[in-house]
Amino acid sequence: RAMRLAMAAAAGSETGGSDMPRNEDEWFAQLNQNGGRAGMNDDADWESGSDGGDLPTDVVRAAGGGGGGSATAGARRAGAAAPLSREKREAVGKYLAIDCEMVGAGFKGSRSILARVSIVNYHGHVVLDTFVAPMEPVTDYRTWVSGIRKQDLDGGRPFKDVQQEVADLLKDKVLVGHALRNDLSALMLTHPPLLTRDTARYPWPAQYGAKGVALRKLAASVLQIAIQQGEHSSVTDAKTTMLLYRKVKDEWERSLAPKRYKQQVVRAKNKERFARLRQEIAQQQRAGQQTQ
């Protein structure tokens, strides 16, 4: 009996204890109950927070992230925070995570086409989740991995309508996702690099895996939850990528500060150059009128 108790205790410590969220919905429920991030909402300046303070202390410690000081400070702030209001929790906000499911077209389903789009906000609320009517015959629904069936697409929305709605939602937003190139390619859209946060390209610490590691493995190592055990859900995957981003948000945004500054300098120089050019053109036009 003592051996069994010891083995059970060891298993509990390896999985982070019974207080650890068991899936992405429990993660967001715990975060939202603590006010998401005390004193920090999705439209706030990223510099006002500390690394790891976005997550509950026990989760940060179990996942091996964040220093003791920042985790304690994050817990202190979270403990004093009120639960997020429904209005705040469901607002579109500044940050959106996207994931798409594809089906196969062409010979043996070798070409991927869009079948489902899911977008969630910073707090895990589903902003958009819709099936897309295929623009060409589907030859492989890939149900075992996509979770898509023929009846799902029979009532799907036209591709152009979904594409336009997604484009409107993503305008001027920070876009989070995993291997975003595939999702944007399926939607036939682009997004500004400085507003793109691809968790597949983030330099995760060695214990979490190399750059480009699968989302399933990141969820297991960073968040200690199991996803993609069978048929995939684009809602689950979008929520997971947002949680991963929130885990490293401060460090990630800080690393982009030099690029943002350079962009601001270039824009300022261009604005000054165009203003000078307009002034020269106006002077030439006045000079021409005086000679006439």
Side-chain angles (χ1 to χ4, degrees), residues 198-210:
D198 193 335
T199 55
R201 299 179 62 86
Y202 184 77
W204 295 97
Q207 68 266 30
Y208 296 146

Side-chain angles (χ1 to χ4, degrees), residues 51-156:
D51 294 344
D54 198 28
L55 302 178
T57 310
D58 56 339
V59 174
V60 173
R61 188 184 302 114
S70 63
T72 303
R76 193 178 302 119
R77 291 193 301 270
L84 284 176
S85 66
R86 179 175 179 179
E87 180 181 5
K88 175 64 181 175
R89 190 171 63 251
E90 297 182 1
V92 174
K94 179 181 177 182
Y95 303 91
L96 292 175
I98 190 171
D99 190 76
C100 299
E101 298 294 347
M102 280 68 134
V103 292
F107 181 67
K108 293 186 177 180
S110 58
R111 189 169 63 258
S112 295
I113 59 175
L114 186 65
R116 183 183 180 186
V117 183
S118 300
I119 298 177
V120 303
N121 69 4
Y122 188 78
H123 303 292
H125 177 72
V126 178
V127 177
L128 174 68
D129 182 29
T130 184
F131 292 105
V132 184
M135 295 189 294
E136 54 185 301
V138 177
T139 54
D140 184 0
Y141 285 92
R142 305 174 183 173
T143 305
W144 66 276
V145 63
S146 70
I148 304 295
R149 292 166 175 79
K150 182 180 184 302
Q151 58 267 30
D152 295 328
L153 302 186
D154 288 342

Side-chain angles (χ1 to χ4, degrees), residues 191-253:
H191 202 68
L194 280 181
L195 292 177
T196 300
R197 308 291 183 268
D198 193 335
T199 55
R201 299 179 62 86
Y202 184 77
W204 295 97
Q207 68 266 30
Y208 296 146
K211 187 184 295 187
V213 66
L215 180 61
R216 180 183 68 258
K217 294 182 179 179
L218 279 177
S221 60
V222 179
L223 304 173
Q224 298 187 10
I225 60 175
I227 64 170
Q228 300 179 349
Q229 297 300 294
E231 297 178 7
H232 293 194
S233 166
S234 50
V235 171
T236 295
D237 292 352
K239 288 181 177 182
T240 302
T241 56
M242 181 58 81
L243 287 169
L244 289 170
Y245 169 68
R246 290 180 64 166
K247 175 71 172 69
V248 293
K249 176 184 175 184
D250 291 335
E251 181 182 349
W252 200 334
E253 296 302 326

